[in-house]
Amino acid sequence: MTTWTAATLLNDISEIGRNPDGSYSRFCLLPDEVALREWFVAKATELGLTIVTDMNANIWAWWGIPGPMAVLTGSHLDSVPGGGAYDGPLGVVSSLVAVAKMKQAGVTPSKPFAVVAMADEEGARFAMPCLGSRLASGKLTKADAHKLIARDGQPLPDAWREAGLDPDLIAPDDVLLHAFCFVELHVEQGRGLADLGYPVAIATAVRPHGRWRAEFTGQGNHAGTTLIPDRHDPVVPVAETILAARGAAEREGCVTTVGRISVEPGGTNVIASAATMWLDCRAEDPETVTRVVEDIQKTSQEAADKQGCRVVWTRESWTNRTVFDDGLRNRILQVLGEDTPQLSTGAGHDAATLATAIPTAMLFVRNPTGASHCRDESASDEDCEAGAEALRAVLEELVR
Ligand code: HGY
Ligand code: MN
Ligand code: MN
């Protein structure tokens, strides 16, 4: 472990869940993400950490005895479909490197300390972002978790049991709820640092955002023999709704995304009987998100009525505007230097989910492309080392 660097650890896992185009698909508790979990456990064990996988599917690697007032760090191992190499894993490997450096320097934490790999941060499998941190912090109840159906159709309880976890033991995590803090390092998802010419920044806030599902139903029929006036094609109001979402974003200066659509039964020569779209909407303030989504929903209803179709909207998740803990942020600023940039972000994170329960903070590592959730996500080896070293300095200060 003496020669561990963030880059070499990332290289260790670079073939796991890699797609032919160089992007990554690593979904919670499916084989590729399980391989990452096994890799994480092996490396943490090599560091002499003690592994606990909780019933919320989070993995804890403890330095010393688990207990209250713990200093926690880590991130997530799962990805979005076609994601980048850094979103999540950079935080996990940087935490391992920071621990290796502290151990090498003979640091002995004065508080319990753990590196945590949180479950399904992207929500790509169970459609609930920050699933593991929501469960651990009590933001999502066991009953609601049991209702979640994975994208492949598997009910969450079955997926838990298949992974050797007891879904009936899902519960808020007392040790987490009584932790001293959680510090997460993450690749920046944007160009703030690239434009400022700094390798590392401190996060100030996460902008509010939510996810909605709109299910349109119509009348399946023959593509060749059904005259246009006789059609009830649900794909047409989907198209109008997507354009309305883009128009609302341009008007309101926020962001709306429809990155996922499903059409049933999905035949080229078949008028669809049903069409579902998922909307991701984010803005500076929650009121704008609410107003924009209501606008889009109104347009969708008018568009559905025009085609003799029906539409049902369901909010799948909501993340309020989160401001990170001032005291912790200032303490980190002292460690890293007053000139360290401070940036807000439009991306959600486990540290934001946990922020309502315990003091949390984030460090961002420069991403020259600014791109994320795609194969172009990037960070130089030097900046990854600068990030791991910054995390080491911050954690060493916190465990004194
Ligand atoms: O979607 C997000 O903002 C984060 O990357 N999970
Ligand atoms: Mn992400
Ligand atoms: Mn992430």
Side-chain angles (χ1 to χ4, degrees), residues 80 87 121-122 129 186 189 209 211 280 282 346-349 373:
V80 294
D87 178 352
E121 187 276 344
E122 299 292 2
H186 204 283
Q189 294 162 303
H209 56 282
R211 298 181 189 186
D280 180 313
R282 313 189 188 201
H349 297 284
H373 284 188

Side-chain angles (χ1 to χ4, degrees), residues 100-144:
K101 287 177 165 209
M102 288 194 280
K103 278 184 169 251
Q104 229 165 16
V107 172
T108 308
S110 66
K111 304 181 181 76
F113 178 97
V115 177
V116 193
M118 294 286 184
D120 209 9
E121 187 276 344
E122 299 292 2
R125 177 128 193 254
F126 295 101
M128 177 56 69
C130 299
L131 175 61
S133 49
R134 286 176 198 257
L135 292 174
S137 58
K139 275 187 153 173
L140 186 73
T141 64
K142 173 170 73 172
D144 285 340

Side-chain angles (χ1 to χ4, degrees), residues 206-210 281-286 289 318-322:
V206 167
R207 294 193 274 282
H209 56 282
C281 181
R282 313 189 188 201
E284 281 301 331
D285 59 84
V289 177
W318 173 251
T319 302
N320 223 334
R321 176 172 174 77
T322 308

Side-chain angles (χ1 to χ4, degrees), residues 214-219 228 231-245 275 277 294-313:
E215 296 166 284
F216 294 78
T217 45
Q219 169 66 50
I228 294 296
R231 295 184 178 209
H232 304 294
D233 182 346
V235 175
V236 174
V238 166
E240 287 194 39
T241 305
I242 292 170
L243 290 173
M277 56 166 265
E294 283 172 356
D295 269 1
I296 295 168
Q297 290 173 332
K298 184 164 166 291
T299 303
S300 77
Q301 188 58 64
E302 290 160 1
D305 292 346
K306 243 183 329 186
Q307 301 300 328
C309 295
R310 287 179 308 286
V311 60
V312 173
W313 283 83

Side-chain angles (χ1 to χ4, degrees), residues 75-80 86-89 121-122 130 184-187 189 347-350 362 372-373 377:
S75 190
H76 60 96
L77 294 167
D78 65 288
S79 77
V80 294
Y86 298 87
D87 178 352
E121 187 276 344
E122 299 292 2
C130 299
E184 179 175 6
L185 179 143
H186 204 283
V187 66
Q189 294 162 303
H349 297 284
D350 289 311
M362 288 193 78
S372 184
H373 284 188
E377 184 180 85

